[in-house]
Amino acid sequence: MKIIFIGTGYVGLVSGAAMAKLGHEVLCVDNDQAKIHDLNKAVIHIYEPDLTELVRQKLTQEQLIFKNSLAENLSFSQVVFIAVGTPEALDGSADLSYIYQVIDEIISSAQEQKLIVIKSTVPPGTCKKLQQYLFDAGTNHIILTNPEFLREGSALHDFLHPTRIIVGIENQDCHKIIDEIYHPLTKQNYPLIKTNLTTAELIKYASNSFLATKISFINEMANLCEATGGDISALSYGIGLDPRIGKEFLKAGPGYGGSCFPKDTSALAHIAREYQQPLTIIESVVKSNYNRKYIMLEKIKKSLGGDVKEKVIGILGLAFKAGTNDVRDSQALEIIELLLDEGALIKAYDPISIKEAQKLLKDEVQFCTDSYKTASNADCLVIVTEWPEFSKLNYKKIYDLMMHPIIIDLRNILNPLEIRNHGFKYDSIGRQ
Ligand code: UGA
């Protein structure tokens, strides 16, 4: 089947390429000319395993096409997926202006009825409003929604092996097309769940908010472990074995970051307030995660005797998690900003996201080309992202290189006993 994808960000590009892998013919549209130019040469600026190879292969097989103009290419297919950004507005709500821009363009350019599938994360009620907007404009285009659950770093795998496919659908005539699009996955028994538009929108927000809640819960339990003498790793394992709790997303750390959880929890809390149905749990999660960076700052200060002024601090990891070069809403960047405000001197290294971090951080950060250069002459080394290479470093060498052998491991990736045996003063999260 022919499909149009609008927006070649994380979700749009991965989903478009994955749909081509499922056998569809996909046209991806983005108004960023430089990006389309690069994509046509299979040059991809996000780090995602296997994506470049897939894009290159599908370009060669002419199953994937990249274009700039939506108006000129709208006749390619009746099915149009919208995967543009819905960033956080100043008041915490989701900014839907990019979605409306695309809808307006479809209204003015489409010559035939379109099935418009919203893949972007949009607050509950948005698709109903979009449907009304299309009717009010005198068109018969139909809105569906199909939220995405892929994770950065395993995005293609997640798309092709989904835990579930959720479709919001209120028009009886659209079932056949959706079934056909996802047949390559449903025939492998991946579940496709159809529900109404608002429920599908809510499933996306509820999923991300529930996962964020698990993380904040375990982070606060880690605080309690530190205060009482408990061990968060054993605690996570101990509770996670209960299948009603589940062991995933129980790793304590510097707080959740990235382009999804912070924005989606805020947006859900915001919309619930608008409906006078406050989500007190999610409000607390947002607050708890906001406070997390200050708790990390205090931890670093304490290890350095209470003050970081003019102390050289080496930061290992800038991405919001391992396996991605994405630094959006990264705890690492927020902690660096706080340390700079307190007068610390920052050296930083990340295996793949330095270029992205440089665009967002102040000039005074000294970026290094490896972990050892970051450790050299540092008063303290802070591990913020759980890149596997950080647990395999030669810590004897690191000990010799540092001015003061202090390591703060915000991801619990090192063995406390081993690292202390090297002579380090070591602190981590929720462990003694
Ligand atoms: C998240 C969801 O996991 C996806 O299902 C969803 O599709 C996506 O958002 C989205 O809405 O587009 P992602 O942002 O790629 O995916 O990252 P996660 O792997 O979920 O991690 C989010 C944050 O939580 C990271 O900062 C990570 O370090 C942190 N985290 C995760 C923890 O601190 N502890 C954990 O146990 C797990």
Side-chain angles (χ1 to χ4, degrees), residues 412-427:
N412 291 355
I413 60 170
L414 302 180
N415 180 319
L417 215 64
E418 275 174 26
I419 213 76
R420 286 192 186 113
N421 280 344
H422 282 295
F424 286 100
K425 183 179 165 200
Y426 174 78
D427 192 13

Side-chain angles (χ1 to χ4, degrees), residues 113 179 217 224 314 316 375 390:
Q113 185 188 43
D179 291 346
F217 175 84
L224 192 59
L316 293 184
F390 297 154

Side-chain angles (χ1 to χ4, degrees), residues 10-11 121 147-154 158 164 204 207-208 211-212 214-216 218-219 247-264 289 319-322 324 326 329-331 384-386 411:
Y10 232 106
V11 171
T121 301
E148 190 47 62
F149 300 98
L150 52 81
R151 292 161 300 174
E152 294 188 16
S154 55
D158 291 348
R164 73 291 202 198
K204 169 70 189 188
S207 299
N208 276 2
L211 293 170
K214 272 188 106 172
I215 298 168
S216 289
I218 209 66
N219 285 340
K247 57 185 172 11
E248 302 289 329
F249 277 68
L250 285 181
K251 284 198 197 85
Y256 60 77
S259 64
C260 305
F261 286 0
K263 148 179 102 65
D264 292 350
N289 199 61
F320 80 94
K321 64 173 184 177
T324 178
D326 198 341
D329 266 324
S330 167
Q331 298 297 99
V384 194
T385 312
E386 71 282 23
R411 295 284 187 168

Side-chain angles (χ1 to χ4, degrees), residues 27-40:
L27 170 82
C28 292
V29 181
D30 198 297
N31 55 12
D32 182 335
Q33 291 204 359
K35 200 173 185 186
I36 291 296
H37 178 266
D38 284 351
L39 285 172
N40 271 315

Side-chain angles (χ1 to χ4, degrees), residues 133-331:
Y133 188 77
L134 287 162
F135 287 153
D136 291 348
T139 71
N140 61 352
H141 306 309
I142 297 165
I143 289 280
L144 293 90
T145 179
N146 172 215
E148 190 47 62
F149 300 98
L150 52 81
R151 292 161 300 174
E152 294 188 16
S154 55
L156 264 181
H157 175 274
D158 291 348
F159 190 97
L160 296 167
H161 305 276
T163 47
R164 73 291 202 198
I165 302 157
I166 302 290
V167 178
I169 186 166
E170 292 186 4
N171 186 303
Q172 292 311 311
D173 302 337
C174 301
H175 286 260
K176 212 169 141 246
I177 291 187
I178 283 294
D179 291 346
E180 202 180 323
I181 291 173
Y182 280 112
H183 184 249
L185 292 175
T186 51
K187 76 174 181 201
Q188 299 174 63
N189 290 328
Y190 291 114
L192 190 160
I193 294 150
K194 291 175 186 160
T195 179
N196 65 31
L197 292 169
T198 304
T199 308
E201 293 165 330
L202 277 167
I203 288 173
K204 169 70 189 188
Y205 275 102
S207 299
N208 276 2
S209 298
F210 191 84
L211 293 170
T213 305
K214 272 188 106 172
I215 298 168
S216 289
F217 175 84
I218 209 66
N219 285 340
E220 293 197 350
M221 290 310 292
N223 295 345
L224 192 59
C225 280
E226 286 178 21
T228 57
D231 182 282
I232 197 62
S233 308
L235 187 151
S236 294
Y237 187 60
I239 64 171
L241 285 176
D242 183 335
R244 292 171 302 175
I245 296 173
K247 57 185 172 11
E248 302 289 329
F249 277 68
L250 285 181
K251 284 198 197 85
Y256 60 77
S259 64
C260 305
F261 286 0
K263 148 179 102 65
D264 292 350
T265 44
S266 292
L268 189 62
H270 186 272
I271 194 109
R273 281 195 300 273
E274 274 186 5
Y275 280 92
Q276 273 102 49
Q277 297 297 332
L279 296 174
T280 54
I281 294 172
I282 305 305
E283 302 269 9
S284 301
V285 167
V286 171
K287 204 160 139 197
S288 171
N289 199 61
Y290 176 82
N291 289 336
R292 195 79 192 138
K293 54 181 172 292
Y294 296 105
I295 295 173
M296 300 300 105
L297 175 69
E298 286 312 312
K299 191 180 261 304
I300 298 167
K301 282 169 78 173
K302 194 172 151 209
S303 284
L304 283 161
D307 190 7
V308 292
K309 199 165 182 340
E310 283 174 17
K311 297 275 166 56
V312 178
I313 299 181
I315 301 285
L316 293 184
L318 296 163
F320 80 94
K321 64 173 184 177
T324 178
N325 65 345
D326 198 341
V327 296
R328 285 176 290 174
D329 266 324
S330 167
Q331 298 297 99

